[in-house]
Amino acid sequence: MNDINQLFTQHFGTSSNGDSSAFTVRAPGRVNLIGEHVDYNDGFVLPMALPLETRFRIRPRQDRTVDLYSTNFKERRQFSLDHIEKQETWIDYVQGVARELAGGSVALHGFEGVITSDVPVASGLSSSAAIEVASALAFTHLEKQPMSPVDVALLCQKAENTFVGVNSGIMDQMAVAACHANHALLIDCRSLELEQVPFQLTNHAIVVTDSGAPRELAASAYNERRAQCEEGLALLQKHLPQVASLRDVTLIDLARYGDSLPPLVLNRVKHVVEEIARTLRAVENLKQGNLTVFGQCMNESHESLAKLYEVTSPELDWLASWASKQPGVLGSRMTGAGFGGCTVTLIEKQHVEDFTQRLPQEYHTAMNRTARCWVTEPTEGAQVLD
Ligand code: GLA
């Protein structure tokens, strides 16, 4: 990444106080290891933060203008905290967060500065959650009103749902705000209880692979899956009035009452119920150091997302299937919302180089697309730096 301090001076000059009031915030992208499409069903998810990140270098302004230069989009945009209106571009993430904060108890001041990011956009690695969480940290640090990671995540999710207009669950913002280095984060999406699960990759690595395929219809198909889960829940509640969400449904319940659901809805519900149980099994095995079973859970998760939830793509299926046949691979699956985007692969370190060298070429031959690989490890969540 370019030196953000230099970029800042280049675009905004140096103020008379020598920029002693300037500061930097960072917010990483995330990859979900397991627990897919269950956060909006009160389930358990297990993401980790990536070494890819968004940074803001900013200094306060006396007025109520936010003035930012994005190095990725190579453009400078402004908005007034008194007139927050959608611009249908990257600054909407900052505006959405500002609007949520302003609606709460935080008095806001303007700021100016530079945004850099190496989190790929529209690849399912939460580039939007990263910019939202970085924005929240920027505003609250400026006002000397720090918020807990859970509150930051909830606020940013609200901004995403209401201002940006994507009906996402809590996983992405929580992962970006609350992950720790060398740990995966087990999130109970019902209670929002967090558990840092040690995930020190001594002999293994996590390889994230971008399929380079556009995430077509991702937003509408995502909302459709949510609606199908709600339909399944409502039908099951006729028999099981005590059930508050799909989290409470068991496989025995499904064996008993599954017939009362349309077959497609039953498939969706089955994925959710099994994926929640699978995530807990994966976490137990991770805690016991049994990465082999953890990897098997990843493979099973992909299979279920392909067959029951139908959110994979030919590219994601190819990548997961190819990976699972390579030496040293313990497990591989699509990650995030699906319909394109990335896979995540757990692999022995000694095989990483061979894997990342052969993958792009074989993928291009098979699918005529360009893949990108990142060899990653669990990284610290969002922070204010000086
Ligand atoms: C997207 C959403 C998350 C989650 C995943 C699927 O990343 O933003 O809330 O639902 O899809 O697990």
Side-chain angles (χ1 to χ4, degrees), residues 30 32 34-41 45 124-126 128-129 157 160-161 166-173 215 222 226 271 275 305 309 311 333-339:
R30 67 94 189 94
N32 189 22
I34 194 157
E36 217 63 87
H37 284 278
V38 298
D39 61 347
Y40 50 84
N41 291 299
V45 297
L125 300 181
S126 295
S128 49
Q157 183 203 13
E160 172 104 18
N161 292 171
V166 178
N167 206 11
S168 55
I170 190 63
M171 171 169 72
D172 305 346
Q173 289 81 7
R215 291 194 306 167
Y222 183 89
R226 285 195 74 144
H271 164 77
E275 181 79 355
L305 290 157
Y309 219 65
V311 290
R333 57 181 289 275
M334 62 146 269
T335 185
F339 319 103

Short mmCIF file of all heavy atoms in Angstrom, two decimals, residues 30 32 34-41 45 124-126 128-129 157 160-161 166-173 215 222 226 271 275 305 309 311 333-339, ligand 1:
data_model
loop_
_atom_site.label_atom_id
_atom_site.label_comp_id
_atom_site.label_asym_id
_atom_site.label_seq_id
_atom_site.Cartn_x
_atom_site.Cartn_y
_atom_site.Cartn_z
N ARG A 30 -12.64 -9.48 6.02
CA ARG A 30 -12.79 -10.72 6.79
C ARG A 30 -13.04 -11.90 5.84
O ARG A 30 -13.50 -11.73 4.71
CB ARG A 30 -13.93 -10.64 7.80
CG ARG A 30 -15.34 -10.56 7.21
CD ARG A 30 -16.03 -11.90 7.06
NE ARG A 30 -17.28 -11.83 6.32
CZ ARG A 30 -17.38 -12.04 5.02
NH1 ARG A 30 -16.31 -12.31 4.31
NH2 ARG A 30 -18.54 -11.98 4.40
N ASN A 32 -14.98 -15.74 6.18
CA ASN A 32 -15.71 -16.62 7.09
C ASN A 32 -15.21 -18.05 6.91
O ASN A 32 -15.21 -18.58 5.81
CB ASN A 32 -17.21 -16.53 6.82
CG ASN A 32 -18.03 -17.26 7.88
OD1 ASN A 32 -17.53 -17.47 9.00
ND2 ASN A 32 -19.25 -17.63 7.56
N ILE A 34 -16.41 -20.82 8.59
CA ILE A 34 -17.58 -21.71 8.51
C ILE A 34 -18.76 -21.03 9.21
O ILE A 34 -18.58 -20.15 10.06
CB ILE A 34 -17.28 -23.11 9.12
CG1 ILE A 34 -18.36 -24.10 8.70
CG2 ILE A 34 -17.11 -23.06 10.63
CD1 ILE A 34 -17.93 -25.55 8.76
N GLY A 35 -19.99 -21.47 8.83
CA GLY A 35 -21.21 -20.86 9.39
C GLY A 35 -21.77 -19.89 8.36
O GLY A 35 -21.83 -18.69 8.60
N GLU A 36 -22.18 -20.44 7.20
CA GLU A 36 -22.59 -19.55 6.10
C GLU A 36 -24.10 -19.47 5.97
O GLU A 36 -24.79 -20.50 6.00
CB GLU A 36 -21.97 -20.05 4.79
CG GLU A 36 -21.54 -18.94 3.87
CD GLU A 36 -20.45 -18.06 4.47
OE1 GLU A 36 -19.26 -18.41 4.33
OE2 GLU A 36 -20.78 -17.02 5.08
N HIS A 37 -24.58 -18.25 5.81
CA HIS A 37 -26.02 -17.97 5.69
C HIS A 37 -26.78 -18.43 6.92
O HIS A 37 -27.90 -18.91 6.84
CB HIS A 37 -26.60 -18.60 4.41
CG HIS A 37 -26.23 -17.81 3.18
ND1 HIS A 37 -26.91 -16.68 2.80
CD2 HIS A 37 -25.23 -17.97 2.29
CE1 HIS A 37 -26.36 -16.18 1.70
NE2 HIS A 37 -25.32 -16.94 1.37
N VAL A 38 -26.13 -18.30 8.06
CA VAL A 38 -26.84 -18.62 9.30
C VAL A 38 -26.91 -17.42 10.24
O VAL A 38 -27.64 -17.46 11.23
CB VAL A 38 -26.22 -19.85 10.05
CG1 VAL A 38 -26.31 -21.10 9.19
CG2 VAL A 38 -24.80 -19.58 10.48
N ASP A 39 -26.17 -16.34 9.95
CA ASP A 39 -26.19 -15.21 10.92
C ASP A 39 -27.57 -14.60 11.03
O ASP A 39 -28.03 -14.25 12.12
CB ASP A 39 -25.11 -14.16 10.63
CG ASP A 39 -25.22 -13.47 9.28
OD1 ASP A 39 -25.98 -13.93 8.40
OD2 ASP A 39 -24.51 -12.45 9.09
N TYR A 40 -28.31 -14.54 9.90
CA TYR A 40 -29.66 -13.96 9.96
C TYR A 40 -30.70 -14.99 10.41
O TYR A 40 -31.90 -14.74 10.35
CB TYR A 40 -30.05 -13.32 8.62
CG TYR A 40 -29.84 -14.18 7.40
CD1 TYR A 40 -30.80 -15.11 7.00
CD2 TYR A 40 -28.68 -14.07 6.64
CE1 TYR A 40 -30.62 -15.90 5.88
CE2 TYR A 40 -28.48 -14.86 5.52
CZ TYR A 40 -29.46 -15.77 5.15
OH TYR A 40 -29.26 -16.55 4.03
N ASN A 41 -30.23 -16.15 10.85
CA ASN A 41 -31.12 -17.15 11.46
C ASN A 41 -30.71 -17.41 12.91
O ASN A 41 -30.95 -18.49 13.45
CB ASN A 41 -31.08 -18.45 10.66
CG ASN A 41 -31.75 -18.30 9.30
OD1 ASN A 41 -32.92 -18.00 9.23
ND2 ASN A 41 -30.98 -18.49 8.23
N VAL A 45 -21.37 -18.28 13.71
CA VAL A 45 -20.46 -18.09 12.57
C VAL A 45 -19.03 -17.99 13.08
O VAL A 45 -18.80 -17.67 14.24
CB VAL A 45 -20.82 -16.84 11.75
CG1 VAL A 45 -22.21 -16.97 11.13
CG2 VAL A 45 -20.75 -15.57 12.59
N GLY A 124 -16.72 -10.47 -1.76
CA GLY A 124 -17.21 -11.21 -0.60
C GLY A 124 -16.24 -11.20 0.56
O GLY A 124 -16.30 -12.07 1.43
N LEU A 125 -15.32 -10.22 0.61
CA LEU A 125 -14.37 -10.15 1.73
C LEU A 125 -14.67 -8.94 2.63
O LEU A 125 -13.82 -8.48 3.38
CB LEU A 125 -12.92 -10.10 1.21
CG LEU A 125 -12.50 -11.32 0.37
CD1 LEU A 125 -11.05 -11.19 -0.08
CD2 LEU A 125 -12.68 -12.63 1.15
N SER A 126 -15.89 -8.42 2.50
CA SER A 126 -16.39 -7.36 3.38
C SER A 126 -15.67 -6.03 3.25
O SER A 126 -15.37 -5.38 4.25
CB SER A 126 -16.36 -7.82 4.85
OG SER A 126 -17.24 -8.87 5.03
N SER A 128 -17.11 -3.46 2.23
CA SER A 128 -18.04 -2.42 2.70
C SER A 128 -18.06 -2.36 4.23
O SER A 128 -18.06 -1.27 4.80
CB SER A 128 -19.44 -2.62 2.12
OG SER A 128 -19.86 -3.93 2.28
N ALA A 129 -18.04 -3.51 4.89
CA ALA A 129 -17.99 -3.48 6.36
C ALA A 129 -16.71 -2.80 6.83
O ALA A 129 -16.71 -2.07 7.83
CB ALA A 129 -18.08 -4.89 6.93
N GLN A 157 -24.00 -2.20 10.88
CA GLN A 157 -24.97 -3.08 10.22
C GLN A 157 -26.24 -2.29 9.90
O GLN A 157 -26.82 -2.41 8.83
CB GLN A 157 -25.31 -4.27 11.11
CG GLN A 157 -26.26 -5.26 10.42
CD GLN A 157 -27.04 -6.12 11.38
OE1 GLN A 157 -27.07 -5.86 12.59
NE2 GLN A 157 -27.65 -7.16 10.88
N GLU A 160 -25.68 -0.17 6.94
CA GLU A 160 -25.70 -0.99 5.71
C GLU A 160 -27.15 -1.34 5.34
O GLU A 160 -27.55 -1.24 4.19
CB GLU A 160 -24.89 -2.27 5.96
CG GLU A 160 -24.97 -3.29 4.85
CD GLU A 160 -23.73 -3.35 3.98
OE1 GLU A 160 -22.67 -2.85 4.39
OE2 GLU A 160 -23.83 -3.89 2.87
N ASN A 161 -27.94 -1.74 6.33
CA ASN A 161 -29.34 -2.15 6.07
C ASN A 161 -30.20 -0.98 5.62
O ASN A 161 -30.95 -1.09 4.66
CB ASN A 161 -29.98 -2.77 7.32
CG ASN A 161 -29.38 -4.12 7.71
OD1 ASN A 161 -29.65 -4.65 8.76
ND2 ASN A 161 -28.52 -4.69 6.88
N VAL A 166 -28.65 -2.95 1.81
CA VAL A 166 -28.45 -4.40 1.73
C VAL A 166 -28.85 -4.99 3.09
O VAL A 166 -28.41 -4.52 4.14
CB VAL A 166 -26.99 -4.77 1.39
CG1 VAL A 166 -26.81 -6.27 1.35
CG2 VAL A 166 -26.60 -4.16 0.06
N ASN A 167 -29.71 -6.02 3.03
CA ASN A 167 -30.32 -6.56 4.23
C ASN A 167 -29.43 -7.60 4.91
O ASN A 167 -29.87 -8.70 5.23
CB ASN A 167 -31.65 -7.19 3.80
CG ASN A 167 -32.64 -7.21 4.92
OD1 ASN A 167 -32.40 -6.57 5.96
ND2 ASN A 167 -33.72 -7.95 4.76
N SER A 168 -28.16 -7.27 5.13
CA SER A 168 -27.20 -8.28 5.60
C SER A 168 -27.34 -8.55 7.10
O SER A 168 -27.93 -7.76 7.83
CB SER A 168 -25.78 -7.78 5.31
OG SER A 168 -25.63 -6.52 5.90
N GLY A 169 -26.76 -9.66 7.53
CA GLY A 169 -26.75 -10.01 8.95
C GLY A 169 -25.62 -9.28 9.67
O GLY A 169 -25.05 -8.32 9.15
N ILE A 170 -25.26 -9.76 10.87
CA ILE A 170 -24.31 -9.04 11.72
C ILE A 170 -22.86 -9.51 11.52
O ILE A 170 -21.92 -8.87 11.98
CB ILE A 170 -24.71 -9.17 13.22
CG1 ILE A 170 -23.89 -8.24 14.12
CG2 ILE A 170 -24.58 -10.63 13.69
CD1 ILE A 170 -24.07 -6.79 13.88
N MET A 171 -22.66 -10.64 10.81
CA MET A 171 -21.33 -11.25 10.80
C MET A 171 -20.21 -10.32 10.34
O MET A 171 -19.17 -10.23 11.01
CB MET A 171 -21.33 -12.49 9.89
CG MET A 171 -19.93 -13.04 9.68
SD MET A 171 -19.90 -14.62 8.91
CE MET A 171 -20.39 -14.23 7.23
N ASP A 172 -20.38 -9.66 9.20
CA ASP A 172 -19.26 -8.95 8.58
C ASP A 172 -18.77 -7.80 9.47
O ASP A 172 -17.56 -7.68 9.74
CB ASP A 172 -19.66 -8.39 7.21
CG ASP A 172 -20.18 -9.48 6.29
OD1 ASP A 172 -19.99 -10.67 6.63
OD2 ASP A 172 -20.77 -9.15 5.26
N GLN A 173 -19.70 -6.98 9.91
CA GLN A 173 -19.30 -5.82 10.72
C GLN A 173 -18.71 -6.28 12.05
O GLN A 173 -17.76 -5.68 12.55
CB GLN A 173 -20.51 -4.90 10.95
CG GLN A 173 -20.97 -4.15 9.71
CD GLN A 173 -21.85 -4.98 8.78
OE1 GLN A 173 -22.24 -6.11 9.11
NE2 GLN A 173 -22.16 -4.43 7.62
N ARG A 215 -20.47 -11.08 -9.05
CA ARG A 215 -21.50 -11.62 -8.15
C ARG A 215 -22.87 -11.20 -8.67
O ARG A 215 -23.53 -10.32 -8.13
CB ARG A 215 -21.28 -11.10 -6.74
CG ARG A 215 -20.02 -11.69 -6.13
CD ARG A 215 -19.98 -11.45 -4.65
NE ARG A 215 -20.13 -10.04 -4.33
CZ ARG A 215 -20.39 -9.59 -3.12
NH1 ARG A 215 -20.53 -10.42 -2.13
NH2 ARG A 215 -20.49 -8.30 -2.89
N TYR A 222 -29.79 -12.96 -2.35
CA TYR A 222 -29.56 -12.98 -0.89
C TYR A 222 -30.88 -12.73 -0.16
O TYR A 222 -31.26 -13.47 0.74
CB TYR A 222 -28.53 -11.90 -0.54
CG TYR A 222 -28.14 -11.87 0.92
CD1 TYR A 222 -27.09 -12.64 1.39
CD2 TYR A 222 -28.81 -11.06 1.83
CE1 TYR A 222 -26.71 -12.60 2.73
CE2 TYR A 222 -28.45 -11.01 3.16
CZ TYR A 222 -27.39 -11.77 3.61
OH TYR A 222 -27.02 -11.74 4.94
N ARG A 226 -33.20 -15.17 2.39
CA ARG A 226 -33.72 -14.73 3.70
C ARG A 226 -35.22 -14.96 3.78
O ARG A 226 -35.74 -15.45 4.79
CB ARG A 226 -33.42 -13.25 3.93
CG ARG A 226 -31.99 -12.96 4.28
CD ARG A 226 -31.83 -11.58 4.86
NE ARG A 226 -32.34 -11.53 6.23
CZ ARG A 226 -31.80 -10.81 7.20
NH1 ARG A 226 -30.73 -10.08 6.96
NH2 ARG A 226 -32.31 -10.80 8.40
N HIS A 271 -30.24 -26.79 5.23
CA HIS A 271 -28.88 -26.23 5.21
C HIS A 271 -28.62 -25.46 6.49
O HIS A 271 -27.59 -25.65 7.14
CB HIS A 271 -28.64 -25.30 4.01
CG HIS A 271 -27.42 -24.45 4.22
ND1 HIS A 271 -26.14 -24.95 4.08
CD2 HIS A 271 -27.27 -23.17 4.65
CE1 HIS A 271 -25.27 -24.01 4.40
NE2 HIS A 271 -25.92 -22.92 4.75
N GLU A 275 -25.94 -26.52 9.12
CA GLU A 275 -24.74 -25.65 9.13
C GLU A 275 -24.46 -25.11 10.53
O GLU A 275 -23.31 -24.97 10.93
CB GLU A 275 -24.92 -24.51 8.11
CG GLU A 275 -23.75 -23.54 8.00
CD GLU A 275 -22.57 -24.05 7.16
OE1 GLU A 275 -22.59 -25.21 6.71
OE2 GLU A 275 -21.61 -23.26 6.98
N LEU A 305 -24.00 -25.73 0.70
CA LEU A 305 -24.28 -24.43 0.06
C LEU A 305 -24.52 -24.60 -1.44
O LEU A 305 -25.28 -23.84 -2.04
CB LEU A 305 -23.11 -23.47 0.31
CG LEU A 305 -22.99 -22.99 1.76
CD1 LEU A 305 -21.58 -22.53 2.09
CD2 LEU A 305 -24.00 -21.87 2.04
N TYR A 309 -28.58 -24.96 -0.46
CA TYR A 309 -28.84 -23.51 -0.39
C TYR A 309 -28.70 -22.84 -1.75
O TYR A 309 -29.20 -21.74 -1.96
CB TYR A 309 -27.92 -22.86 0.66
CG TYR A 309 -28.62 -21.80 1.46
CD1 TYR A 309 -29.68 -22.13 2.30
CD2 TYR A 309 -28.25 -20.46 1.38
CE1 TYR A 309 -30.34 -21.16 3.03
CE2 TYR A 309 -28.91 -19.49 2.11
CZ TYR A 309 -29.96 -19.85 2.93
OH TYR A 309 -30.63 -18.88 3.65
N VAL A 311 -26.20 -21.35 -3.47
CA VAL A 311 -25.62 -20.01 -3.56
C VAL A 311 -24.19 -20.05 -4.10
O VAL A 311 -23.46 -19.07 -4.01
CB VAL A 311 -25.63 -19.27 -2.20
CG1 VAL A 311 -27.05 -18.90 -1.81
CG2 VAL A 311 -24.97 -20.10 -1.11
N ARG A 333 -13.96 -24.26 0.80
CA ARG A 333 -15.38 -23.93 0.62
C ARG A 333 -15.54 -22.50 0.13
O ARG A 333 -14.62 -21.70 0.23
CB ARG A 333 -16.13 -24.10 1.94
CG ARG A 333 -15.55 -23.26 3.06
CD ARG A 333 -16.30 -23.46 4.36
NE ARG A 333 -17.61 -22.86 4.27
CZ ARG A 333 -17.88 -21.59 4.52
NH1 ARG A 333 -16.93 -20.74 4.90
NH2 ARG A 333 -19.09 -21.12 4.41
N MET A 334 -16.73 -22.22 -0.42
CA MET A 334 -17.03 -20.83 -0.73
C MET A 334 -17.20 -20.07 0.57
O MET A 334 -17.51 -20.67 1.61
CB MET A 334 -18.28 -20.70 -1.59
CG MET A 334 -19.55 -21.21 -0.95
SD MET A 334 -21.03 -20.27 -1.40
CE MET A 334 -21.12 -19.03 -0.11
N THR A 335 -17.00 -18.76 0.53
CA THR A 335 -17.12 -17.97 1.75
C THR A 335 -17.91 -16.70 1.47
O THR A 335 -17.83 -16.16 0.37
CB THR A 335 -15.73 -17.65 2.31
OG1 THR A 335 -15.87 -16.99 3.57
CG2 THR A 335 -14.89 -16.81 1.38
N GLY A 336 -18.69 -16.24 2.44
CA GLY A 336 -19.50 -15.03 2.27
C GLY A 336 -20.84 -15.37 1.65
O GLY A 336 -21.32 -16.50 1.72
N ALA A 337 -21.44 -14.39 1.00
CA ALA A 337 -22.80 -14.56 0.49
C ALA A 337 -22.87 -15.56 -0.67
O ALA A 337 -23.88 -16.22 -0.87
CB ALA A 337 -23.35 -13.21 0.03
N GLY A 338 -21.79 -15.66 -1.45
CA GLY A 338 -21.80 -16.59 -2.59
C GLY A 338 -22.20 -15.90 -3.88
O GLY A 338 -22.05 -14.67 -4.00
N PHE A 339 -22.69 -16.67 -4.84
CA PHE A 339 -23.04 -16.18 -6.19
C PHE A 339 -21.84 -15.54 -6.87
O PHE A 339 -21.97 -14.57 -7.62
CB PHE A 339 -24.18 -15.15 -6.14
CG PHE A 339 -25.29 -15.46 -5.19
CD1 PHE A 339 -25.40 -14.82 -3.96
CD2 PHE A 339 -26.23 -16.43 -5.52
CE1 PHE A 339 -26.44 -15.12 -3.08
CE2 PHE A 339 -27.27 -16.73 -4.65
CZ PHE A 339 -27.37 -16.06 -3.43
C1 GLA B 1 -22.96 -11.68 3.55
C2 GLA B 1 -23.72 -10.96 4.66
C3 GLA B 1 -23.53 -11.67 6.01
C4 GLA B 1 -23.83 -13.16 5.90
C5 GLA B 1 -23.12 -13.78 4.70
C6 GLA B 1 -23.53 -15.20 4.47
O1 GLA B 1 -21.59 -11.60 3.79
O2 GLA B 1 -23.29 -9.63 4.77
O3 GLA B 1 -24.33 -11.05 6.98
O4 GLA B 1 -25.21 -13.38 5.84
O5 GLA B 1 -23.35 -13.05 3.50
O6 GLA B 1 -23.11 -16.02 5.51
#
